[in-house]
Amino acid sequence: MLELRHIQQHYADQPLLQDINLRVAAGEIVALLGPSGSGKSTLLNIVAGLQVPDAGSVWFDGQDITDAAPEQRRFALMFQDFALFPHLNVQDNTAFGLVEQGLPKREARDQALQMLGVFGLSDLARRRVWNLSGGEQQRVALARALITQPRVLLLDEPFSALDADLRVALREEFRARIQTAGMPTLLVTHDETEASDMADRSVRLVQGQLVDATRASSSATYRNA
């Protein structure tokens, strides 16, 4: 289980995140909603270990990992621009994380080929990533994330650069694979439909505080009535 306890963060001397508390169970997908500048990506960076909170702590399976370096956390972070390495082919992109963990390159490549087979990408193993479609690139990015058996998956607007039909197909595929892997997953998005389709539940950042997305929407509807 991933757990955030009393996270606080300031930006330009103004409170950005205030007393954030959240639990994400194994295999659960929680969508984090909110407008640009609300602190969604900042919170994701804190979970990933890329940013230190001003106060509060990050826990995984009962252990405080707030001071742990990103590589020690073994979390996978995926961005909307895929972040694939243009100088590597599909197979070596997928194997990259295993090589970084110290696995011999030949073994890493063998495992990468097996993982690409799971995604139906074996025939593309030797292809350069810039020759792939957007959907193929995103599948390679997910294969690269999953091959290292991450303990938590963090998704930052993963489908926003794709067309509508492809977004729908990949949401379903990602959801199925995340549940099979049993990883706690935090999905940052501004897309209400994406949150509804992919997530088990949604929360929203409102003036630096985390509230149930359904309750926040109902309150907004009441105020605007």
Side-chain angles (χ1 to χ4, degrees):
M1 174 181 287
L2 173 68
E3 187 175 2
L4 308 182
R5 299 182 183 179
H6 307 293
I7 297 292
Q8 296 188 49
Q9 189 71 43
H10 289 74
Y11 178 75
D13 295 327
Q14 298 296 318
L16 180 64
L17 302 173
Q18 303 182 62
D19 198 32
I20 300 296
N21 294 279
L22 180 66
R23 290 183 177 183
V24 186
E28 183 182 25
I29 303 174
V30 174
L32 178 60
L33 296 161
S36 297
S38 61
K40 303 188 304 297
S41 293
T42 296
L43 186 58
L44 211 64
N45 287 336
I46 289 172
V47 175
L50 302 175
Q51 189 168 341
V52 179
D54 292 334
S57 54
V58 179
W59 294 69
F60 182 79
D61 282 355
Q63 292 187 329
D64 186 348
I65 60 170
T66 311
D67 296 327
E71 62 273 14
Q72 294 174 325
R73 299 187 186 201
R74 289 177 47 211
F75 293 178
L77 177 58
M78 285 183 59
F79 301 96
Q80 59 181 310
D81 60 357
F82 316 135
L84 298 176
F85 301 113
H87 64 290
L88 299 178
N89 64 25
V90 168
Q91 185 175 12
D92 286 342
N93 260 283
T94 307
F96 181 83
L98 294 177
V99 174
E100 286 293 292
Q101 290 178 356
L103 194 69
K105 185 172 290 187
R106 178 174 294 180
E107 292 180 37
R109 284 174 168 168
D110 287 343
Q111 290 190 31
L113 194 58
Q114 294 176 20
M115 178 62 76
L116 289 171
V118 172
F119 285 84
L121 298 171
S122 298
D123 292 343
L124 305 180
R126 301 288 181 172
R127 189 173 296 184
R128 294 293 179 178
V129 294
W130 64 73
N131 291 322
L132 303 181
S133 68
E136 289 167 343
Q137 289 185 47
Q138 192 60 298
R139 288 186 176 94
V140 173
L142 181 60
R144 185 178 66 181
L146 295 185
I147 198 171
T148 58
Q149 298 182 324
R151 303 192 298 178
V152 171
L153 184 60
L154 306 171
L155 305 173
D156 193 357
E157 302 278 5
F159 310 120
S160 61
L162 305 176
D163 63 65
D165 290 340
L166 186 54
R167 286 202 300 269
V168 171
L170 285 179
R171 285 170 192 161
E172 296 174 357
E173 181 176 351
F174 271 45
R175 178 175 172 80
R177 296 191 186 281
I178 288 166
Q179 290 179 331
T180 298
M183 293 176 296
T185 298
L186 192 56
L187 167 68
V188 165
T189 182
H190 66 277
D191 188 330
E192 303 275 353
T193 301
E194 185 169 282
S196 176
D197 288 349
M198 273 197 70
D200 298 293
R201 59 189 173 96
S202 298
V203 293
R204 189 185 306 275
L205 274 170
V206 179
Q207 296 181 340
Q209 297 182 322
L210 212 55
V211 299
D212 178 84
T214 303
R215 181 160 58 86
S217 296
S218 298
S219 297
T221 300
Y222 176 80
R223 289 195 303 270
N224 294 329

